[in-house]
Amino acid sequence: MAGEVKTKLSKNLLRMKFMQRGLDSQTKKQLEEEEKKIISEEHWYLDVPDLKEKESCIIEERSFLRCEDLVYGRMSFKGFNPEIEKLMIQMNSKCKEEEIEENDKMEADVSDEEMARRYETLVGTIGKKFLRKRDQRVLKDDDEDEDDEEGNNTKPSKRAKKMFLKPQD
Amino acid sequence: MAVERGTAAERGTPAETLVGQVVLPGDLLLLPAHYDEDAEGERLRLSAGAAPLGRLLCGPGLKRSGAGLLVTTCGLLRHRPGGGGAYWVDSQQKRYVPVKGDHVIGIVTAKAGDVFRLDVGGSEPASLSYLAFEGATKRNRPNVQVGDLIYGQFVVANKDMEPEMVCIDSSGKSSGMGIIGQDGFLFKVSLGLIRKLLAPKCEIIQELSQLYPFELVIGMNGRIWVKAKTVQQTLIIVNILEACEYMTGEQRKQALAKLSGN
């Protein structure tokens, strides 16, 4: 009785997502094949010989821009609109600029020497950051010791150890 | 001449002989043999080791047809050597046909939701998305009102299709495109004069630039926008540019001399 009920289920119903779990592999395959058949039958194509694409040496161009070397359409003269004047130079010398750039490299804002000098001092400051507090103090002590050797100890020594002062009776 | 034309239309004339002369629609221009070689010929030439020539540019006013080029507009045939060479027809037409990549001045005629409608002088108004401005986002809309002038570039310009404009370049920068300032003066000239003005080292522009400070926006659709410090100065520039169409170089120089004398 149960088997009869199963056969009565329509194909469309069996194809639904929630029915797929319960299906056995054979019926699944059968359904897939049928589906493929339907797709291939529905697919149609033109029954004509392939068009031979002939490569041509002529390009059609609808724009005057590529024929005549036209300049950019915004202009400003004698400093009326400085923004546009800057843009004009930029737009109208695009091809020239590329050549120039190849010849001499962009002028750097900071010269190499200055950069090296800055780094020299930077190494110390940044290096300090990565040291532990104790090491930092050692470094500082060394510096101050040098100062001490120079002569009078003018600075009230911060590092005078705070000691317990015995109250006087 | 008429007889010659007849033969030209039937059999074609070598393109080189017509450079700088008037051509009419229907004329057939013949090209040197290496341009109409078929694929087989090409292969032979390549195998022979000859350096392949650059491609020939068939510019506005010309159409590729079989062996040569067919003329579609009347005007003077122009040629530019270099690369593969280029042929085009220089015509004095007034009707603008949108072309991809052209910079034009449009007038906003409507605000329709996401796009603006722009009158560019073509057969159809162009559309301009509100997102196609520099720095525009969905929340930050550009302040564009009906009647504003916009300098932009065509990204879509097919026949039978609505042309589409943008006010940014491929890197997202405006590079001078966008709304043109409030005041100033807009007028129309022929497309031929526009090309004359936009040519590098144009004499008219160079002479005008000596006069006084002013600003100029030239659209490929024949519109020119001028702004100077005073209305009078603006109108002088406008009149000179309008008159340039019908003046010879000598006459123009005289007119300018008169102005600078004042």
Side-chain angles (χ1 to χ4, degrees), chain B:
Chain B
M1 190 68 193
V3 179
E4 208 179 299
R5 278 264 159 247
T7 55
E10 282 156 26
R11 279 182 282 123
T13 340
E16 308 97 85
T17 58
L18 279 176
V19 171
Q21 289 187 28
V22 175
V23 286
L24 295 173
D27 285 359
L28 191 65
L29 307 176
L30 294 178
L31 295 167
H34 55 259
Y35 283 120
D36 49 73
E37 273 170 7
D38 52 5
E40 215 170 329
E42 179 106 350
R43 226 175 293 136
L44 281 172
R45 195 153 54 83
L46 285 174
S47 62
L53 273 139
R55 296 181 166 220
L56 180 83
L57 207 65
C58 153
L62 296 173
K63 213 174 140 188
R64 209 164 39 180
S65 90
L69 303 173
L70 195 66
V71 180
T72 55
T73 49
C74 50
L76 299 172
L77 186 70
R78 299 275 184 220
H79 175 62
R80 189 196 67 193
Y87 283 103
W88 71 94
V89 179
D90 197 6
S91 58
Q92 287 288 326
Q93 63 182 20
K94 286 196 162 180
R95 162 65 70 186
Y96 178 69
V97 181
V99 175
K100 190 182 168 186
D102 270 3
H103 288 86
V104 296
I105 299 176
I107 304 169
V108 180
T109 55
K111 284 203 275 187
D114 291 350
V115 292
F116 304 114
R117 295 253 164 270
L118 260 68
D119 169 43
V120 288
S123 58
E124 223 181 334
S127 73
L128 171 70
S129 165
Y130 74 92
L131 290 172
F133 287 85
E134 187 183 52
T137 54
K138 283 211 164 178
R139 199 173 285 178
N140 183 17
R141 278 170 171 259
N143 183 22
V144 178
Q145 305 299 330
V146 172
D148 277 354
L149 296 182
I150 287 184
Y151 188 61
Q153 190 179 18
F154 280 112
V155 279
V156 176
N158 298 328
K159 57 178 186 181
D160 318 321
M161 255 180 85
E162 186 183 50
E164 193 185 330
M165 282 172 66
V166 289
C167 290
I168 43 174
D169 60 11
S170 50
S171 58
K173 277 194 212 143
S174 71
S175 62
M177 289 182 281
I179 301 174
I180 306 173
Q182 292 301 313
D183 32 12
F185 192 89
L186 183 82
F187 63 104
K188 267 202 84 176
V189 296
S190 80
L191 301 185
L193 182 63
I194 290 285
R195 267 177 275 128
K196 214 193 273 177
L197 292 174
L198 282 177
K201 306 238 165 65
C202 167
E203 276 186 12
I204 304 170
I205 296 290
Q206 280 181 346
E207 282 163 18
L208 282 176
S209 67
Q210 308 298 323
L211 281 180
Y212 41 73
F214 70 98
E215 195 184 342
L216 196 61
V217 184
I218 302 175
M220 283 294 284
N221 55 345
R223 291 200 176 121
I224 301 180
W225 178 89
V226 183
K227 188 185 169 187
K229 279 201 176 127
T230 62
V231 176
Q232 199 192 358
Q233 285 184 339
T234 305
L235 288 174
I236 287 170
I237 300 273
V238 169
N239 284 330
I240 291 171
L241 285 176
E242 271 183 337
C244 276
E245 198 146 355
Y246 309 107
M247 272 202 290
T248 61
E250 280 297 309
Q251 286 170 323
R252 190 179 64 237
K253 268 174 197 143
Q254 278 176 9
L256 278 167
K258 217 194 272 175
L259 265 173
S260 47
N262 284 350

